[in-house]
Each structure stands twice: as structure tokens, then as C-alpha cells.
Amino acid sequence: MGKYNGFYNRYVKRIIGLLLSIVLFIVLFPVFLIISIAVVVDSGFPVFYRAERGGYKGKTFRIFKFRTMVKNADKIGGGTTALNDSRITRVGKFLRKTKLDEVANLICIIKGEMSFIGPRPELLRYTENYDEEEQVIFQVRPGITDYSSLEYISLDEIVGEENADEYYEKYVLKDKNRLRIKYAREVSFATDVKLFAGTVWSVIKKALKVIFIKEDKNGVHKA
């Protein structure tokens, strides 16, 4: 039996997440305002991207992320962001590279729909087809980061520029679910601390690339 049935996952994790998210929301509120203004100036309203995802105990919820794509991007292209995706705005490119678009997820954590650490919330068309083994993913709250997030932190580079959805479904989805299941079975305070530290380090490295390394039109890093 996995650790998802344990006291930490059912109670302690939620309390820690609630308290920490409230504090961070207050501290980072100026950042919220700056990002919101940047999004509006760059591409207008809405500020947030809201979309349905499969959540805790199988309950559907709507995520909060700062909008990084053009309006109605879901109707223009697929659910997987391709390399050099034309739907990404100028401000959105920076937000995605630095992961600042995820800051808005603090709202979902406060509401109890997400945690800091947990399986990345997936599209309903995928969660609705989870097999019996994958159902365990619903026993932990979805989060901003987990094993699969670290493994596929540069997902756009992996799926490439063409047929991103097809590549994701064929080569990535099952492996991400394997890592999500791994998290659900191993969830603990020590696991969360390890994943949090790993995520911070990975984001810092990506941010440094954005600041100090240029990219050519094909997305190749150049010094």
C-alpha cells in the first residue's frame, strides 16, 4: 500500500501547503501585480489562463496560471506546447522559461485544489482514460512539481516543433504517469523537501540560461 494513505498526505501536507501559500501570496503580491501589468500591456486581457484539469480524488478543477499564450490558444493549436510555439507571447516566453507563470498556482494551493509538490495536473482527455494503476495519481493533490516535472522540465524541446500532441501521447505521457505513480507511492515530507530543492535548482539553471545565453531561431543555445 502506498504512502498516499498516510497521515502526512491526508492532513499535514495540506496544512503546510495552506500556511506557506498564504505567506508567499502576501510576500509575492507585488510580483503578481508586475506580471499582471506585463501580460496586459503585451497582449491584453485576460491575465490568467484557466483550464479544467483532473484533480484530487478525481475531482475536476480549473488551474490558475499567468497567461503565456495568445487568447484562445487552445482553439488554435493542441494541448501540448511545441518548441518555438507561435502561440506564445513575448512576455509569455520569459514567464515560461523562468517558470514565473506558475506563481499564480498559489491561488489553487490556498483553495486546496493543489499542493506545492505533487503530480502535474493533466488534461481531462488524458485523466479520464487513466487505467487502474494510474488511478493512484488521484490519491495525492496535483502540484507544481514532482518527479515528472524534473524529468521533463524542458518538455517543449523534447516534443519538438511538429506534431507535439502526437509525440507527447506516444512517447511521454505513459512515462510521466509512471513517475506520477512513483510520487504517489512515496509521498512523504522527506520526498517533498528533496523535490522542492531539486526544482529550485533546476529553475535557477533555466533562468540563468535565459539571462546569459542567447537562442537562435531554432531554439539552439548559443553563448
Side-chain angles (χ1 to χ4, degrees):
M1 185 175 293
K3 293 185 178 180
Y4 53 82
N5 284 317
F7 187 76
Y8 172 75
N9 180 56
R10 289 186 294 167
Y11 304 107
V12 178
K13 186 177 174 71
R14 168 60 183 149
I15 294 173
I16 294 175
L18 176 61
L19 296 177
L20 185 57
S21 58
I22 291 174
V23 172
L24 286 176
F25 184 83
I26 294 172
V27 172
L28 295 176
F29 190 71
V31 176
F32 266 74
L33 291 179
I34 293 171
I35 295 176
S36 297
I37 293 171
V39 170
V40 172
V41 171
D42 183 43
S43 58
F45 290 98
V47 170
F48 297 113
Y49 170 68
R50 307 292 312 279
E52 291 189 330
R53 295 291 188 269
Y56 186 51
K57 302 295 186 181
K59 183 178 180 180
T60 299
F61 75 103
R62 297 180 70 198
I63 60 170
F64 269 96
K65 293 179 69 175
F66 283 109
R67 184 171 59 83
T68 61
M69 290 187 170
V70 297
K71 302 170 188 176
N72 299 315
D74 292 344
K75 299 178 181 178
I76 300 173
T80 304
T81 305
L83 182 65
N84 299 321
D85 199 310
S86 61
R87 297 174 296 170
I88 301 176
T89 64
R90 289 174 299 175
V91 168
K93 183 176 181 180
F94 176 79
L95 294 178
R96 294 176 77 94
K97 289 291 185 181
T98 57
K99 301 300 183 182
L100 285 172
D101 58 320
E102 301 283 358
V103 173
N105 276 321
L106 286 172
I107 298 172
C108 289
I109 297 174
I110 291 172
K111 293 173 64 178
E113 296 167 335
M114 290 181 63
S115 293
F116 284 98
I117 312 297
R120 291 286 297 167
E122 191 58 271
L123 298 173
L124 294 183
R125 73 169 185 256
Y126 298 139
T127 61
E128 289 172 350
N129 292 308
Y130 277 178
D131 60 29
E132 184 176 352
E133 183 181 20
E134 291 167 335
Q135 291 293 321
V136 72
I137 297 170
F138 293 136
Q139 298 306 310
V140 291
R141 283 185 174 83
I144 297 175
T145 184
D146 70 333
Y147 290 118
S148 67
S149 302
L150 293 179
E151 181 72 20
Y152 293 96
I153 193 168
S154 298
L155 182 60
D156 59 340
E157 297 176 14
I158 294 173
V159 299
E161 295 190 29
E162 299 181 2
N163 302 316
D165 279 350
E166 181 181 342
Y167 189 97
Y168 180 79
E169 293 167 7
K170 188 173 182 180
Y171 299 107
V172 178
L173 181 59
K174 281 296 182 182
D175 191 52
K176 287 191 75 172
N177 284 345
R178 175 185 64 83
L179 292 169
R180 289 165 173 152
I181 292 169
K182 172 182 170 68
Y183 174 78
R185 290 175 173 167
E186 296 180 358
V187 56
S188 68
F189 180 73
T191 298
D192 284 358
V193 169
K194 180 178 71 174
L195 287 169
F196 178 80
T199 299
V200 170
W201 175 238
S202 295
V203 170
I204 289 175
K205 287 193 295 183
K206 283 185 69 71
L208 290 176
K209 282 185 178 181
V210 172
I211 296 172
F212 296 111
I213 300 178
K214 297 180 180 179
E215 291 183 345
D216 66 16
K217 63 181 180 179
N218 295 314
V220 177
H221 296 298
K222 284 187 171 182

